[in-house]
């Protein structure tokens, strides 16, 4: 839950800085750096973990199955939304 | 596409480093990861708060536009729940958390890795990168055969940036606004929903 406190604190600061483009741009670049660092560290901890390395293939298979489930479910639900609740989106397009 | 390949390269570099290199005292990696994660969440927050200018767009589009990200949330969670039910080794909570990345692979995988261990973090990274790649590949077919909103649904959180160009190309520019709105709503939702799914006591 501490994670969310950091997120909210950032959002408050971001709101105050919303017209300062240079600050927002700097934050955006720092975000990219943090992401790369964290992904590297995630890889590092997997690489040092023999059990995780041995399971890499089955982790990939699980990821593929979950990804297909997520895609099918969301496309289906939004298809229903489009059909029943948003009838105007097709007709008023000219 | 370019950035997801870069992320994969970064992950592989870490993998190689971890497998070959001597792992230093474990706590230092963990502390570094935690500090970087908090910094990342703070920075993501700044980005979200700073895009407060996006709200008037919602007013113009009307409240019904909310049904699109809502459909993505419900559909994704249903889809991953079904898969988790049949997949050995993946619990319901874990499956839902991976799904709740909505394609936002960087943030979801590091949060999940932190809360549930690096194994599920890897699953989240790969599953959500695949979501983005499938969306890029399937958008022409989805837009023609299923509907104009289908690529936006498939793209999830990525519909506001990486998959936006291909969505507007095949669904039409009019759908760009819906894509950005749905992607933005899902992007904001990712850290909350993932944390909630993995920590809520039910």
């Amino acid at each position: 839950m501490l994670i969310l406190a950091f997120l909210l604190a950032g959002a408050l600061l971001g709101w105050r800085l919303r017209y300062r483009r240079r600050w927002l741009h700097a934050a955006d670049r720092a975000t990219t750096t943090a992401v790369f660092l964290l992904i590297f560290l995630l890889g590092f901890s997997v690489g040092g973990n023999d059990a995780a390395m041995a399971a890499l293939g089955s982790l990939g298979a699980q990821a593929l199955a979950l990804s297909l489930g997520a895609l099918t479910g969301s496309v289906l639900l939004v298809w229903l939304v489009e059909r029943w609740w948003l009838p105007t989106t097709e007709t008023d397009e000219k | 596409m370019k950035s997801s390949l870069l992320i994969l390269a970064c992950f592989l570099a870490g993998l190689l480093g971890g497998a070959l290199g001597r792992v230093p005292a474990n706590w230092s990696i963990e502390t570094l990861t935690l500090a970087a994660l908090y910094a990342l969440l703070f920075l993501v927050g700044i980005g979200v708060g700073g895009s407060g200018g996006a709200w008037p767009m919602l007013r113009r589009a009307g409240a019904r536009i909310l049904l699109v990200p809502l459909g993505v949330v419900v559909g994704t969670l249903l889809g991953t729940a079904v898969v988790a039910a049949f997949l050995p080794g993946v619990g319901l909570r874990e499956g839902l958390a991976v799904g709740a990345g909505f394609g936002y692979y960087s943030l979801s995988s590091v949060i999940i890795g932190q809360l549930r261990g690096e194994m599920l973090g890897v699953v989240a990274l790969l599953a959500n990168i695949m979501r983005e790649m499938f969306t890029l590949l399937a958008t022409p077919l989805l837009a023609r055969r299923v509907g104009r909103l289908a690529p936006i649904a498939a793209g999830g959180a990525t519909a506001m940036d990486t998959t936006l160009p291909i969505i507007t190309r095949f669904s039409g520019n009019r759908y760009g606004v819906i894509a950005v709105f749905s992607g933005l709503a899902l992007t904001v939702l990712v850290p909350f929903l993932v944390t909630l799914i993995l920590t809520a006591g039910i």
Side-chain angles (χ1 to χ4, degrees):
Chain A
M1 285 301 165
L2 196 53
I3 286 179
L4 299 182
F6 276 93
L7 184 72
L8 287 177
L12 285 176
L13 182 63
W15 177 255
R16 297 205 63 166
L17 294 175
R18 67 190 183 281
Y19 300 118
R20 309 230 180 153
R21 226 178 259 159
R22 277 170 70 187
W23 284 88
L24 291 178
H25 187 65
D28 199 45
R29 292 184 60 168
T31 305
T32 311
T33 311
V35 163
F36 283 128
L37 175 65
L38 277 160
I39 296 292
F40 178 82
L41 288 172
L42 178 68
F44 199 90
S45 62
V46 171
N49 179 337
D50 291 340
M53 284 301 275
L56 217 50
S58 72
L59 295 182
Q62 289 175 357
L64 180 64
L66 287 170
S67 180
L68 290 176
L71 281 165
T72 312
S74 53
V75 167
L76 202 70
L77 254 279
V78 172
W79 178 73
L80 290 176
V81 164
E82 192 169 12
R83 229 179 124 89
W84 290 342
W85 288 298
L86 296 172
T88 55
T89 45
E90 286 295 332
T91 48
D92 66 4
E93 175 155 14
K94 280 272 137 62
Chain B
M1 196 69 158
K2 203 179 90 189
S3 64
S4 49
L5 289 180
L6 255 173
I7 287 279
L8 271 181
C10 226
F11 175 70
L12 289 176
L15 210 65
L16 213 64
L20 300 180
R22 258 165 275 131
V23 182
N26 229 3
W27 62 266
S28 63
I29 292 280
E30 273 168 28
T31 313
L32 182 60
T33 305
L34 203 58
L37 182 64
Y38 288 151
L40 175 64
L41 264 292
F42 186 69
L43 290 165
V44 167
I46 292 180
V48 169
S51 60
W55 289 117
M57 191 179 81
L58 170 62
R59 282 236 190 110
R60 276 201 304 276
R64 282 208 291 188
I65 197 177
L66 275 169
L67 286 171
V68 177
L70 192 68
V72 176
V73 171
V74 175
T76 299
L77 295 183
L78 280 178
T80 45
V82 169
V83 170
F86 288 99
L87 209 61
V90 179
L92 177 63
R93 215 179 254 252
E94 285 71 23
L96 291 179
V98 169
F102 302 121
Y104 194 171
Y105 44 78
S106 53
L107 189 60
S108 64
S109 65
V110 295
I111 295 179
I112 290 173
Q114 190 63 40
L115 294 177
R116 264 298 192 285
E118 61 261 28
M119 297 254 220
L120 197 64
V122 172
V123 175
L125 177 69
L126 296 177
N128 285 293
I129 285 185
M130 285 175 194
R131 181 169 189 159
E132 181 189 286
M133 288 182 170
F134 284 138
T135 302
L136 291 170
L137 294 174
T139 285
L141 190 75
L142 285 173
R144 208 166 7 166
R145 291 291 160 96
V146 184
R148 307 279 183 112
L149 289 177
I152 299 175
T158 70
M160 68 179 281
D161 42 47
T162 49
T163 59
L164 181 61
I166 198 155
I167 290 173
T168 52
R169 169 132 186 254
F170 286 93
S171 292
N173 280 324
R174 267 190 52 117
Y175 285 79
V177 179
I178 304 181
V180 170
F181 172 72
S182 173
L184 190 64
L186 293 167
T187 299
V188 173
L189 205 58
V190 167
F192 290 101
L193 206 54
V194 168
T195 310
L196 214 69
I197 288 172
L198 288 181
T199 58
I202 297 169

